[in-house]
Structures are given as structure tokens and as C-alpha cells.
Amino acid sequence: MNTQGDLIILNTRVVTPTGTQAACGDKMKHLTVIDNAVIIITAGRIVYVGSAEDIDLQQTSLNSHTRLDAHGGVSLPGFIDSHTHLIFGGFRPDEFEWRLKGESYMSIMERGGGIQSTVNATRSEHPETLITKSKWFLDRMIEMGVTTVEAKSGYGLDFDSELKMLQVINQLRYSEHRKLDVVSTFLGAHAVSEEFKGRPSEYIDHIIEVMLPAFKDLADNCDIFCEKNVFEIEDSRKLLLAARKLGYKIKLHADEIVTLGGAELAAELGALSADHLLHVSTEGIKQMAEAGVVATLLPLTAFALREPYAPARSFIEAGGAVALATDLNPGSCFSGSIPLTIALACIYMNMSIEETITALTLNGAAAIGQADSKGSLEIGKYGDVAILASDNYHILPYYVGMNCVRTTVHHGRIVAQNP
Ligand code: NIG
Ligand code: FE
């Protein structure tokens, strides 16, 4: 395996969005295609991407670069999974079965299951066990072409356990940094903890006073489950304003179960993203598009909860930016499948293949505030590439739920090579 971060990808077809910010509305479908292309990555960054005819590959400065023949396969920017709950104790297959029999996600949560049951399991789990478990998922993600993953805390809900989760995320960030990038999000407001049961506002005050200031160096973003009977609009606004003041970038789980106005709040606060949005209002869509807040849509969750899919077309037609992510978690969506995300987005959300590519690359990067350095194959950006086993990117949704990434490159290093 190459460890230098100096790589030449030969004999490829480059397919990429372009730019250093989210692609909005109509622009989401615009991809640049370069046939018979070469990508040169030096010290982890792209220094050339273009036609093979316009570059002299014999020049001495390229002598020590590893050469990778893509056999005509498509090179896409590495996928960015901008919303996951990667770290968790235990599993919840029993709940999945209850839902199959008709019980709702919220009713399981209200009787003490759901997030609370993972909180109990996570609190008692040793950090090393959490790390080992997460690495298994990370390796699967890398095989699917993921080069950056966001990971949330939120199964601790008290100081020590949230700290433990954030430390685990940061340990992964440093131990796995040669394979993929891990972005850290503090989600202490994922549910009202047992200790503050029935007193969500007091729990929010506790987070603001005790946790937010202490965790600033461990988390890039602050997120909240803004939902009826969890944290409603006033509490969400209060927490996110306090987080923003401390320098966190802010994100919301918004309008997932009912229409509550989370999208409008995201627009008002200029959040990086509002996520889920299965029940977003028309006004919320408009306000998010106007404010430039990325709509991160999570079709695997809608699929697993048998909920209607989020209105991707309405966001795009309103001039908004849509990102796609997996929402991998042990409850509402136990899947980190990029191929199935793509298929569901095309089949049920009526997104074009080009739009899904933009949503999983450039707009995913924007949803974590990194579109200036990731999300497209352009000079100066990181050499993060997902190379397909085909010269035709249209096969992505056609291979329903099946992986057609052959090679994953992270910062110019080959990190996965599928047979
Ligand atoms: O994004 N809705 C809140 N959080 C997660 C589910 C977490 C869980 O069920 O454990 C979500 O769907
Ligand atoms: Fe989530």
C-alpha cells in the first residue's frame, strides 16, 4: 500500500462537480466530465486533473509517484457521509422487529426504549470496545468510497459519557487519519437524559453551562434533535445560539417526525445544515434555500422507518442545496450503505444521478463546512477519490444496494481495493 500520498491515477474518466461551496438548485446537476484523464496527487493534494494529452508524465518531479491504472473506470470525488451516529453501545434488533409489527419510533422512545436504551448501553461500554466496533463500520465505509465521515456523540447525555464519546471520536480521528477523515459533532441534546426527565429546558441549561464550554476542543459542530416532545424550538434556539457564540458550527435534526419549524430555525440561525426534513414545511424549504442552509436528506432512515421520503425536488426547485448521508445509527437506521442511499434517492426522491453525486460529494462537504478543501476533483483540493469498476457513472443507482467502487484513495493513498 502506498503511504506517501503521491499518486498518479491513469486511464480514468473524471466525473466531478466543481466549486468551493455547495451547488444549489439547477447547478446540482452540472458535472464536469473529462475523458482519457489523469489525476496527479502530490503530498495528499491534487496538483493536476485533466486530459492525459496535456501533461508530460515523464517529468522528473513525478518519478517517485505511485501509478494507479483505473482501467477506464470513473473517478468521482470521495464520498462524504456528513451525518452518522457511528459510536454506540449495544444493538436494538428487538425494536426493529416491534416497528415491523407496527409500533412507532416515537412510542418506543416514549416508553424508555429508543435512544435511551443505547444511552444505557453506551454509558457502560469501555471506550476500547466502542473504538473496535466503530472501526468495523469505518472499514466498510472506506470500501464504499467514503473518504470523510461525520460522527456524533449523543448516546452519553451526561458529562462523563459525552466526554467519553467525543474522546472516542477524536481517537478515531487520529488513529484512522491515514485512511479517512473523521469530523466530530457534539450532540448532547439528542434526548432528555434520565437525570433531567420531564425538564428539557433545565437539561439544555446544563449543556450550555457545563458541557459546551468543556467540549469545544473535541467537537467541530453542535447538533440537536429538534423535535416535538424532545427539544422544541425555544430550547433549540437557546442551545444553538450559545454553541455558535463559542465557535461551534451548528446543525439540527429538524422536522424528522412532525412539522415543527426546525427548518425555519436553521435558516434564522444560518446553520451549516438541517437534516432529515421528512416533514418540512413549504415555508421552511424556501427559507433554508434563501439562507443557504444545506438540506441533508437521509433516505435510508425514511426507508427503515417506513416514512415518506424528504422532498428533495422541492428543495432543488427552490434553489436550495441538497446533501445525502446515511444516518448510520443502531435505532432508526442501521445502515451505512452509500449504494442504497444513491438508489433510494434516485428511485424514490426523483433525484437525477448527477444530483446524487453532487449531494454525496460537494454538498456533503458543504454540510460539514469543508467545501473549500473537499468534495470535488480540482487542483488544490485533497486527493480523495472513489474509482468505480465501470466507465459509466450511470450504473450507480442501477446497482441497487451493491457496491461498484473498486478503489478508494484518501489524500493520495490507496486505502481500499475491492476485488
Ligand atoms: O437521526 N432522530 C434522532 N436521532 C437518530 C436516531 C437515533 C437512534 O434511534 O438511536 C436519527 O434518526
Ligand atoms: Fe441522525
Side-chain angles (χ1 to χ4, degrees):
M1 240 183 220
N2 173 29
T3 53
Q4 299 306 311
D6 292 341
L7 184 72
I8 304 176
I9 303 173
L10 300 154
N11 192 15
T12 189
R13 169 176 285 158
V14 165
V15 176
T16 181
T18 50
T20 51
Q21 46 196 352
C24 298
D26 240 23
K27 294 204 179 86
M28 280 190 68
K29 65 172 188 258
H30 293 145
L31 299 180
T32 297
V33 178
I34 310 169
D35 287 333
N36 186 24
V38 167
I39 304 170
I40 304 177
I41 302 163
T42 301
R45 297 268 188 170
I46 298 173
V47 295
Y48 178 81
V49 51
S51 166
E53 282 152 25
D54 300 334
I55 182 84
D56 172 15
L57 294 174
Q58 304 315 317
Q59 55 187 291
T60 47
S61 63
L62 300 178
N63 279 353
S64 61
H65 283 59
T66 301
R67 291 175 187 234
L68 173 68
D69 186 344
H71 301 289
V74 167
S75 286
L76 300 172
F79 295 128
I80 295 179
D81 193 347
S82 62
H83 182 139
T84 83
H85 305 255
L86 172 70
I87 320 294
F88 55 88
F91 293 96
R92 288 162 33 207
D94 44 352
E95 283 182 21
F96 186 79
E97 217 174 317
W98 299 337
R99 288 208 309 275
L100 290 181
K101 289 182 182 147
E103 193 170 354
S104 76
Y105 178 80
M106 282 314 262
S107 98
I108 294 169
M109 182 162 170
E110 275 152 19
R111 63 187 176 84
I115 293 171
Q116 186 58 45
S117 109
T118 301
V119 169
N120 299 339
T122 307
R123 283 184 178 183
S124 60
E125 199 71 279
H126 194 279
E128 280 310 318
T129 312
L130 294 173
I131 286 174
T132 308
K133 193 165 163 186
S134 313
K135 282 187 176 178
W136 186 88
F137 289 106
L138 290 179
D139 285 339
R140 303 291 79 72
M141 289 174 182
I142 293 165
E143 288 164 7
M144 292 184 279
V146 173
T147 49
T148 298
V149 63
E150 182 254 20
K152 302 176 194 294
S153 70
Y155 291 124
L157 309 187
D158 63 22
F159 187 90
D160 289 346
S161 310
E162 283 295 310
L163 177 64
K164 175 173 78 177
M165 289 196 72
L166 291 171
Q167 285 171 336
V168 163
I169 294 170
N170 279 275
Q171 217 168 310
L172 289 169
R173 187 205 292 260
Y174 295 111
S175 69
E176 301 303 282
H177 77 280
R178 299 181 78 82
K179 295 203 283 185
L180 88 172
D181 292 341
V182 179
V183 172
S184 167
T185 297
F186 171 55
L187 179 58
H190 195 190
V192 183
S193 69
E194 283 288 297
E195 294 79 4
F196 285 86
K197 199 168 180 168
R199 298 177 290 137
S201 303
E202 285 177 45
Y203 181 50
I204 290 292
D205 288 341
H206 174 72
I207 295 176
I208 292 173
E209 283 156 26
V210 182
M211 298 197 211
L212 271 185
F215 297 158
K216 180 62 204 74
D217 292 340
L218 291 171
D220 309 299
N221 313 302
C222 178
D223 193 350
I224 183 165
F225 188 16
C226 174
E227 189 62 52
K228 191 164 169 47
N229 297 330
V230 189
F231 301 106
E232 301 204 7
I233 297 297
E234 274 314 306
D235 284 334
S236 302
R237 181 185 287 111
K238 192 172 179 189
L239 174 72
L240 294 172
L241 280 173
R244 197 174 63 183
K245 207 163 160 197
L246 284 171
Y248 289 88
K249 291 177 270 184
I250 57 179
K251 298 167 88 66
L252 292 80
H253 283 64
D255 302 318
E256 177 180 356
I257 313 286
V258 299
T259 310
L260 193 73
E264 289 87 334
L265 180 65
E268 173 196 318
L269 299 178
L272 268 185
S273 73
D275 302 25
H276 284 289
L277 302 161
L278 302 183
H279 298 277
V280 65
S281 69
T282 309
E283 185 56 27
I285 294 172
K286 187 168 156 262
Q287 290 187 18
M288 276 179 60
E290 279 168 8
V293 178
V294 176
T296 301
L297 308 183
L298 309 161
L300 292 169
T301 313
F303 175 68
L305 291 180
R306 289 181 174 145
E307 287 283 330
Y309 290 86
R313 286 256 61 84
S314 305
F315 277 105
I316 296 170
E317 277 153 25
V322 169
L324 289 164
T326 65
D327 196 25
L328 169 69
N329 73 76
S332 65
C333 175
F334 192 42
S335 173
S337 174
I338 297 290
L340 192 54
T341 299
I342 293 172
L344 294 177
C346 291
I347 298 169
Y348 290 114
M349 291 157 76
N350 297 316
M351 290 176 70
S352 70
I353 302 170
E354 291 77 8
E355 287 165 345
T356 65
I357 291 172
T358 300
L360 274 162
T361 57
L362 185 60
N363 287 3
I368 49 168
Q370 296 188 1
D372 53 340
S373 61
K374 290 176 186 172
S376 63
L377 299 176
E378 293 179 275
I379 291 174
K381 291 211 179 183
Y382 283 110
D384 296 349
V385 192
I387 305 173
L388 305 185
S390 169
D391 61 359
N392 181 359
Y393 68 85
H394 292 92
I395 63 156
L396 281 168
Y398 171 61
Y399 271 53
V400 176
M402 290 197 290
N403 188 20
C404 47
V405 169
R406 180 160 49 205
T407 309
T408 307
V409 171
H410 173 252
H411 293 11
R413 291 183 293 261
I414 298 164
V415 289
Q417 196 128 41
N418 298 318

